[in-house]
Amino acid sequence: MNIHEYQAKQVLKEYGAPVAEGVAIFSADEAEAAAKSLPGPLWVVKSQIHAGGRGKGKFKELGPEAKGGVRLAFTLDEVKSHSADMLGNTLVTAQTGDAGKVVNRLYIEDGADIDRELYLSLLVDRTCGQVAFVASTEGGMDIEEVAHNTPELILTLPIDPLQGVTENKASALCDTLKLEGEARADGMKLFPILYKAFVEKDMALLEINPLIVMENGRLRVLDAKVSFDGNALFRHEDIVALRDKTEEDEKEIEASKHDLAYVALEGNIGCMVNGAGLAMATMDIIKLYGAEPANFLDVGGGATKEKVTSAFKIITSDPNVQGILVNIFGGIMRCDVIAEGVLAAVKEVGLQVPLVVRLEGTNVELGKKIISESGMNVIPADDLDDAAQKIVAAVKEVA
Ligand code: ADP
Ligand code: MG
């Protein structure tokens, strides 16, 4: 689960991290009062969407000449006009996809005098099985680009869970970020704080880009992107309360109600699969044959008829879907039960696009028989390879 920048800063502030003062607003009428409550004379008006790259983003409605989704304001009037400009409009950034995201909230923040912009993040490093810091002096820009062009400027520093952030580790981070004087003292305090917040709140990612050294020599968290481990949300009511459903895909919200692991994607082949590994393999093979999956969907091991039906509804509600591939391995579940579930779902939901069904496992012959005798327009497949080729061909024919 993701949260907005201003919410992430609030969480970090509670742990003692240095963040600027700011006020979140939902309508342009609130802009002036928000700015007046801050010290000034420089304000920053920041679009709050669940995507980065806002500064360099463009508003669809405002044309290519207009400024981006993070703007400096030198007067109260500018705060007001920037706010009116951004709210309700669609911001397209390198991370939103072409559709962009509608800006429903703004964060009016105290402006900082920036000396240097640094990069700092915390993530779960699966190679070493530890939480790791990633740090670089090259902040404020696209870190993927830095990693590609100048990997020597990035330090990855795993933290031993039993020792936490030791003096040595904090010093190493200070060295990499070239922190001196007060900024170094701020860093020595900040790094353990961030690690504590990350672990206690079950974060999956905490990215500060940029962390800045201000002209007065102090450190400040200027941007914050946080996502949380969905499996741990049950023990963080305070975090769940920050959820902004307008930022989430409606189909994903619906799927979570039915306990389906669903992620919407950009392609046109809807997939219904059981088991995350098989779902990944199915997506891979669709790509191998030159098409793109419309979603990841794991209906789980004990998929009932009801689950299969709701999965079908979610897949068919996606206007991009031009074909569906059902790829189910009947292990504990029997293939004949699955076949009946699929047919019942098709009957209930209706089928406007080609459907390929590949079943394997217990009672597979019976399952196939049920499908082939159903009189429905279902294309049976023998194995994963066959299934992928058939659905890709069927979709190409339609298109
Ligand atoms: P994004 O990464 O989505 O573009 P940021 O919060 O990183 O958004 O803002 C983009 C840039 O805007 C920063 O790199 C920084 O140069 C500037 N900026 C952001 N917030 C402030 C602030 N409070 N004071 C001064 N400059 C800011
Ligand atoms: Mg940023």
Side-chain angles (χ1 to χ4, degrees):
M1 187 191 106
N2 298 323
I3 59 174
H4 288 293
E5 172 202 358
Y6 77 93
Q7 298 168 323
K9 284 180 171 169
Q10 189 57 41
V11 171
L12 295 179
K13 191 177 173 190
E14 283 161 22
Y15 279 87
V19 299
E21 285 178 60
V23 182
I25 63 168
F26 292 77
S27 83
D29 308 342
E30 301 167 69
E32 185 168 10
K36 275 186 176 158
S37 73
L38 300 171
L42 175 65
W43 296 269
V44 185
V45 183
K46 308 185 79 172
S47 301
Q48 298 297 293
I49 54 171
H50 285 185
R54 298 162 298 165
K56 292 200 182 104
K58 290 286 168 204
F59 284 96
K60 268 194 180 168
E61 296 84 353
L62 304 182
E65 300 305 317
K67 289 188 181 139
V70 175
R71 302 184 187 176
L72 298 179
F74 298 91
T75 62
L76 288 175
D77 279 340
E78 276 183 349
V79 174
K80 284 200 280 188
S81 64
H82 287 324
S83 300
D85 237 14
M86 293 191 211
L87 274 171
N89 282 334
T90 311
L91 183 58
V92 180
T93 81
Q95 294 181 13
T96 58
D98 292 343
K101 287 198 163 215
V102 178
V103 176
N104 295 315
R105 308 179 188 198
L106 296 175
Y107 192 43
I108 314 289
E109 194 180 51
D110 188 28
D113 296 318
I114 304 173
D115 179 19
R116 290 198 296 136
E117 300 201 2
L118 314 170
Y119 178 92
L120 185 69
S121 66
L122 275 147
L123 45 79
V124 182
D125 186 337
R126 294 182 197 279
T127 26
C128 62
Q130 295 180 340
V131 172
F133 279 93
V134 177
S136 173
T137 48
E138 308 306 295
M141 54 179 98
D142 191 352
I143 195 68
E144 279 81 12
E145 213 168 280
V146 181
H148 186 259
N149 299 334
T150 46
E152 67 280 4
L153 295 178
I154 299 182
L155 170 76
T156 303
L157 189 71
I159 301 298
D160 183 326
L162 296 179
Q163 295 184 339
V165 184
T166 58
E167 290 265 325
N168 275 345
K169 295 257 162 136
S171 274
L173 287 167
C174 288
D175 292 344
T176 296
L177 297 174
K178 299 195 164 61
L179 299 181
E180 276 154 30
E182 282 191 296
R184 192 173 182 98
D186 285 346
M188 295 300 285
K189 258 195 264 162
L190 176 64
F191 306 136
I193 282 176
L194 296 177
Y195 180 77
K196 187 166 190 272
F198 187 94
V199 173
E200 281 186 5
K201 296 289 184 195
D202 290 307
M203 293 178 186
L205 175 74
L206 164 54
E207 186 179 56
I208 299 172
N209 188 19
L211 172 71
I212 57 162
V213 182
M214 294 188 287
E215 278 173 3
N216 67 7
R218 305 298 300 266
L219 274 192
R220 183 178 276 180
V221 171
L222 209 67
D223 188 10
K225 186 175 170 190
V226 176
S227 58
F228 297 88
D229 180 349
N231 292 317
L233 284 175
F234 72 93
R235 56 183 184 193
H236 299 293
E237 269 177 39
D238 55 332
I239 300 298
V240 175
L242 302 177
R243 190 166 183 181
D244 178 359
K245 287 198 174 160
T246 64
E247 287 284 335
E248 295 176 25
D249 188 300
E250 269 176 42
K251 299 189 291 305
E252 289 180 14
I253 296 172
E254 187 60 25
S256 71
K257 283 188 206 154
H258 299 282
D259 208 17
L260 298 163
Y262 173 91
V263 181
L265 300 166
E266 316 267 278
N268 60 5
I269 297 183
C271 308
M272 187 161 91
V273 189
N274 66 339
L278 190 57
M280 301 292 272
T282 305
M283 290 161 57
D284 277 350
I285 202 160
I286 287 173
K287 281 174 174 265
L288 181 71
Y289 285 112
E292 294 286 327
N295 64 278
F296 167 97
L297 173 61
D298 173 9
V299 293
T304 57
K305 190 181 135 192
E306 286 69 36
K307 255 190 166 181
V308 172
T309 310
S310 33
F312 244 90
K313 282 188 188 157
I314 290 164
I315 291 177
T316 49
S317 72
D318 180 347
N320 294 328
V321 168
Q322 289 170 357
I324 301 173
L325 172 56
V326 174
N327 182 24
I328 304 258
F329 176 76
I332 301 167
M333 284 278 295
R334 299 191 334 250
C335 288
D336 52 319
V337 175
I338 295 163
E340 271 163 5
V342 169
L343 292 179
V346 171
K347 262 190 205 137
E348 192 181 330
V349 180
L351 192 63
Q352 321 293 341
V353 295
L355 167 66
V356 171
V357 177
R358 181 254 175 160
L359 297 173
E360 192 52 83
T362 315
N363 282 4
V364 60
E365 291 312 323
L366 186 54
K368 281 185 180 168
K369 190 161 168 257
I370 291 169
I371 295 222
S372 63
E373 287 174 0
S374 68
M376 261 185 253
N377 190 15
V378 177
I379 308 165
D382 293 325
D383 55 35
L384 182 50
D385 205 53
D386 183 40
Q389 293 190 48
K390 279 180 174 156
I391 190 62
V392 171
V395 166
K396 287 219 172 109
E397 220 166 88
V398 174

